[in-house]
Amino acid sequence: MEAQESPVFNNKKIQRKLSTDTIQVIFEELRKKGNLEWIDKNKTRCLIMWRRPEEWGKLIYQWVSNNGMTNSVFTLYELSNGDDTENEEFHGLEDWLLLRSLQTLQLERKAEIITLNESKGVKFF
């Protein structure tokens, strides 16, 4: 397993590494909590997320609400790279995770993802 060679699971200084079984248990726990998603069916590649999309969505919506920006429209770029969000934890969030986070807000009817001339934006409610 490739993960076994990662410094996260393999300490070369003391010549110890976690077993494949133990790594699988860790991955399964992360998946159950929503912090890991398998990229392929064979479960050889995965995305590990520090925060789940729902958690990021909550932080984004909290910022929108606290700043009186409900009923406003933002581009994804403005949210993840704009000057207004520079000091926010979600500043610099990758587009795929930002979009997934906004989708969770859309399911809660707190936002609507819109397409503007081939780029995406979001309106908050």
Side-chain angles (χ1 to χ4, degrees):
M1 172 182 262
E2 187 178 332
Q4 224 176 358
E5 298 309 314
S6 167
V8 174
F9 302 115
N10 183 357
N11 186 333
K12 292 183 180 182
K13 267 188 177 176
I14 61 172
Q15 298 178 349
R16 292 189 70 190
K17 62 182 170 182
L18 288 178
S19 69
T20 302
D21 290 341
T22 304
I23 294 170
Q24 289 293 352
V25 168
I26 292 168
F27 284 172
E28 182 56 21
E29 284 301 311
L30 287 170
R31 187 198 62 76
K32 284 179 187 175
K33 292 180 179 184
N35 295 92
L36 180 143
E37 290 183 12
W38 291 107
I39 295 173
D40 61 350
K41 291 180 183 180
N42 295 331
K43 297 183 178 181
T44 59
R45 298 188 66 215
C46 64
L47 292 171
I48 297 176
M49 299 170 278
W50 174 48
R51 286 195 169 120
R52 295 174 294 136
E54 296 84 3
E55 294 170 320
W56 285 116
K58 185 177 178 181
L59 282 174
I60 293 166
Y61 194 77
Q62 187 175 23
W63 175 79
V64 168
S65 297
N66 290 346
N67 288 288
M69 296 183 180
T70 53
N71 294 315
S72 298
V73 176
F74 296 89
T75 65
L76 298 189
Y77 182 84
E78 287 174 310
L79 284 175
S80 63
N81 299 296
D83 293 340
D84 292 338
T85 63
E86 200 167 38
N87 296 321
E88 301 302 320
E89 291 183 64
F90 58 86
H91 187 84
L93 200 61
E94 293 181 45
D95 285 346
W96 68 270
L97 187 52
L98 177 61
L99 189 57
R100 296 267 310 278
S101 302
L102 296 173
Q103 288 168 341
T104 67
L105 292 175
Q106 187 168 266
L107 289 172
E108 296 174 10
R109 301 187 195 287
K110 292 181 177 179
E112 181 181 354
I113 298 168
I114 52 180
T115 303
L116 308 164
N117 300 327
E118 298 183 27
S119 66
K120 293 197 181 295
V122 61
K123 180 175 183 176
F124 293 98
F125 305 110

